[in-house]
Amino acid sequence: MARQSLRENIIDAAVDTFHRKGFNGASVQDIAEVAHAPKGSFYNHFDSKEALAIAALERYWERIRSSFAVLREPQYPPHERLKRYFGLLTSAARTAEFRKGCLIGNISAEMAGENPALRARLATLLGAWTAAIEACVKEAQADGSVRRDLDPASIAAFLLNSWEGAVMRAKVDRDESALKSFQRVAETVFSA
């Protein structure tokens, strides 16, 4: 019988290893070593590396989803919440020294064209992420702090898509200039 704690260790190790090395750059052996697990135990828990990648995305998504609380903080107006949210994401990128990027973005760039199950899960996660931003954009439009002549879903999609591109550029440049540019432009383009 497979031990649950070992499965959890393997998932955590996969999040870290995929984040650092990418899907194709990370071997099952690499992940097993980080998890302090025998390589063979991987197959007691996962049918394939792709199945593990989906589990790793779920684990990473838990972290992303918890950051949505910033988008709902009632003590701040919605426009301020949007700025605070992307500031929080910038801070996380800075803490990682701009080396990891976003696991969802990284695996999307690397694997979306290669694996239908991964692509479907990534599409669902990106859709949910966009919806969380959209809810805050709608509130900001309602109070007049964000322009109302654009569809809130389009604004949210643009913000997330642009953010993911800025994160990729920050990973290349190893600094926050792309993230600061994103925040400056987003602020001026969408302010009412």
Side-chain angles (χ1 to χ4, degrees), residues 9-115:
N9 289 349
I10 292 170
I11 293 170
D12 288 338
V15 170
D16 177 63
T17 307
F18 289 147
H19 219 164
R20 285 184 296 108
K21 293 186 169 194
F23 179 86
N24 289 317
S27 68
V28 170
Q29 181 65 41
D30 293 332
I31 295 165
E33 286 175 8
V34 172
H36 305 291
K39 182 179 176 183
S41 66
F42 168 87
Y43 296 102
N44 291 332
H45 299 281
F46 301 97
D47 294 334
S48 65
K49 188 175 161 189
E50 290 80 4
L52 174 58
I54 290 173
L57 283 168
E58 296 303 323
R59 180 66 44 87
Y60 186 77
W61 177 246
E62 292 169 12
R63 298 175 193 163
I64 294 289
R65 196 175 53 207
S66 70
S67 72
F68 296 165
V70 172
L71 293 169
R72 297 184 301 270
E73 292 177 330
Q75 69 269 33
Y76 298 104
H79 189 248
E80 180 65 23
R81 285 185 251 149
L82 287 166
K83 289 193 294 188
R84 289 172 56 81
Y85 179 68
F86 287 107
L88 173 74
L89 297 181
T90 298
S91 179
R94 188 181 307 112
T95 298
E97 298 177 339
F98 310 101
R99 294 182 183 276
K100 293 182 176 182
C102 168
L103 185 62
I104 293 170
N106 294 349
I107 291 181
S108 292
E110 188 176 5
M111 294 301 296
E114 305 296 319
N115 184 286

Side-chain angles (χ1 to χ4, degrees), residues 3 22 77 97 161:
R3 289 186 358 237
E97 298 177 339
N161 297 342

